[in-house]
Amino acid sequence: MSGWTIRTAARSDEPTIVKLEALAFGCASWGEKAVADGLNAPKVSALLIFPSGEKAAIGFAFWRSLGEDAEILSIGVTPRARRRGAARELLSHIIERARETGMRRLFLEVDKANCGALALYRLENFEKIGERRRYYKNGGDALVMRLDL
Ligand SMILES: CC(C)(COP(=O)(O)OP(=O)(O)OC[C@H]1O[C@@H](n2cnc3c(N)ncnc32)[C@H](O)[C@@H]1OP(=O)(O)O)[C@@H](O)C(=O)NCCC(=O)NCCS
């Protein structure tokens, strides 16, 4: 039995996602307005993950579909719940849904210095396909990664 429950987030989950996003990303957080925009954007799905049987979500993800391509926009787990497989579970869920709905490729961007996230994506077989110099507010470079579905 899986130790996680994942469900699609509703607009009423906005305050929960705002809190989770701030906890996960700290000073690199999108902030309240961007979270609300993400929840309302067409073709964007938001997910929440819970330890099975518990009521409080510990992580979230935003992803969107664009024709045959899908893109992960954000994924975060609260610091206290890390290294228990939640992000991997969210990723697997997205990969499965994208495959089921006929998507061919899954893309994402990740800070080149974000070793934890990079390790996670490599584990799921994402490959680096490009680099965006000074992509982030703090001047950090982004790697563009792709998984062929
Ligand atoms: C990156 C993040 C989402 C990972 O969430 P998580 O739930 O802790 O990840 P998982 O437990 O599913 O990790 C699965 C595997 O990925 C790798 N991994 C994850 N975090 C890692 C870290 N900090 N250092 C090294 N490897 C890491 C490991 O191989 C891990 O397996 P293991 O724990 O058995 O060694 C989480 O650290 C986070 O929210 N960070 C801040 C927000 C962020 O950077 N999001 C990604 C933006 S692109």
Side-chain angles (χ1 to χ4, degrees):
M1 197 186 88
S2 158
W4 301 106
T5 301
I6 293 177
R7 72 162 168 83
T8 301
R11 283 184 190 171
S12 56
D13 291 311
E14 186 186 317
T16 301
I17 302 184
V18 167
K19 263 190 224 155
L20 290 172
E21 204 266 344
L23 277 173
F25 281 88
C27 60
S29 159
W30 277 5
E32 206 169 326
K33 184 176 180 307
V35 169
D37 289 348
L39 270 171
N40 291 316
K43 300 187 183 299
V44 173
S45 303
L47 300 170
L48 284 170
I49 186 162
F50 305 77
S52 289
E54 291 187 21
K55 286 193 176 147
I58 53 85
F60 70 96
F62 282 97
W63 68 291
R64 74 174 157 198
S65 53
L66 306 153
E68 290 190 336
D69 294 339
E71 183 184 12
I72 292 177
L73 302 172
S74 185
I75 185 163
V77 171
T78 59
R80 290 174 63 183
R82 287 183 190 161
R83 301 304 289 268
R84 287 162 47 196
R88 203 156 182 214
E89 192 77 14
L90 280 166
L91 266 183
S92 303
H93 181 96
I94 293 169
I95 290 166
E96 235 172 80
R97 291 295 164 282
R99 281 198 180 115
E100 274 170 16
T101 49
M103 307 275 151
R104 305 285 293 273
R105 294 164 292 266
L106 180 58
F107 294 88
L108 59 82
E109 272 140 14
V110 55
D111 190 327
K112 202 175 172 179
N114 189 343
C115 303
L118 273 169
L120 168 72
Y121 299 139
R122 289 200 178 112
L123 203 62
E124 286 292 335
N125 299 316
F126 279 84
E127 284 177 18
K128 175 187 161 186
I129 55 159
E131 200 162 327
R132 300 196 206 284
R133 302 295 306 278
R134 304 187 66 76
Y135 182 75
Y136 295 104
K137 271 188 279 184
N138 67 2
D141 300 337
L143 299 187
V144 183
M145 303 187 88
R146 183 184 71 205
L147 175 71
D148 289 323
L149 299 168

